[in-house]
Amino acid sequence: MSDSDRSGGNERDWPLFEVFIRARTGLHHRHCGSLHAADPEMALARARDVYTRRGEGTSIWVVASDRIFASDPADKDMLFEPAMSKVYRHPSFYDLPDDVENM
Amino acid sequence: MYTQGLNQAVEEGGPEDAELLARFQAKIDREEKIEPNDWMPEAYRQTLIRQISQHAHSEIVGMLPEGNWLTRAPSLRRKAILLAKVQDEGGHGLYLYAAAETLGISRAEMVERLLEGRARYSSIFNYPTITWADIGAVGWLVDGAAIMNQIPLCRCSYGPYARAMIRICKEESFHQRQGYEAISRLAEGTAAQKRMAQDALDRWWWPSLMMFGPSDAESPHTARSMRWKIKRFTNDELRQKFVDATVPQARLIGLEPPDPELRYDEESGHWRFGEIDWSEFNEVLAGNGPCNRERMAARRKAHAEGAWVREAATAHARKQRRRTAMAAAAE
């Protein structure tokens, strides 16, 4: 019996892929989960079986998880806090006469 | 999103760190989700790994009693439904393994623990599906009990688990309905069919009540899991909800749960039921249920017989990578 027999065909080494699905034409691809696969083709086939059994998608992206460069949760305040105080970036900030139309 | 790279740099400070612990609890009290890269007490992590992996194993082992009837379903309609349901269970197992992996354990390790008998799955799947009515009873009672358990888990404090549960609950609602429909058809059929339906209810009723786990008095970790909002209701509360929902469903189709002490308590609005035989539950957990050995043998056989497929996929991926590299070098 070879090593791979015991370890289940080296499945342990299969990389993780993140799965993104576009529900309908015109919408963004949205992250919906992750899965292991030997290669991108297999990841795509598995994503189709696991995540689109009820017509959830018209297109699938799979991305190797280790290729994603993500922000550090510890930097959350530094990155996102500055936007919180800038209410004037929203249209509801501005006072307009009640009678003004089409604006 | 659970990138492996990020997951490596998680731990800072020991689990004894009182300030981290206070901040963690405050976050849970505010109903904010705990995400994979957030600090969490080691006991929280281990509790979730145990619970989520056990849940995942249950989905996978749960395919076996139903798979038993795939080739013998009484009509093409029933066969297509059962096939879709069993396929869903496989998918649910994968969502849950993926959620558990965000806690730092690999799926291969979890599967190994199951196959070596070091991990548990739900006691209910150690009972046999002897007649077609059992498939109806499994959908109606077993999936019904599972949904009762799973709906509060959609609000679990651990983000990846809660999100997996939302997806599972959405898909699962047809599982219970198809089971109730199947057993209803038998209950309104010939005398022999009705007997078959009642017999299935007789055998599945008590094991379904046991699915909620030991009574609150016997379940030492409940308080902590409630404080961490892993659990939202105690075992006994969920069991009562299930009984309250299910008794009227049974009577509606002319079936009667096998409990002489069952009676409606006007004052509380609850159905009161008899004592559960916990010695049976403990025997099944100890590995001595009617099908424990058969289930594990079937899982081990399936895993061993699938080894060549996994090896072939690995070899194919390696070959493709080599070819791509050679083609790039030749340019």
Side-chain angles (χ1 to χ4, degrees), chain B residues 26 36 50 52 66 77 79 101 109 113 118 130 136 179 199 212 215 219 234 245 261 298 308:
Chain B
R50 203 188 57 235
I52 303 174
E66 296 188 302
R77 179 177 183 271
K79 184 182 285 196
E101 284 191 303
E109 165 76 20
R113 286 186 189 180
R118 289 188 288 137
I130 300 163
D199 167 63
F212 295 95
S215 70
S219 130
T234 69
E261 291 175 48
W308 73 270

Side-chain angles (χ1 to χ4, degrees), chain A residues 62-83:
Chain A
V62 291
V63 181
S65 305
D66 62 5
R67 304 302 294 268
I68 290 173
F69 191 65
S71 67
D72 187 332
D75 293 340
K76 195 176 72 171
D77 290 348
M78 178 185 80
L79 291 172
F80 307 115
E81 189 61 31

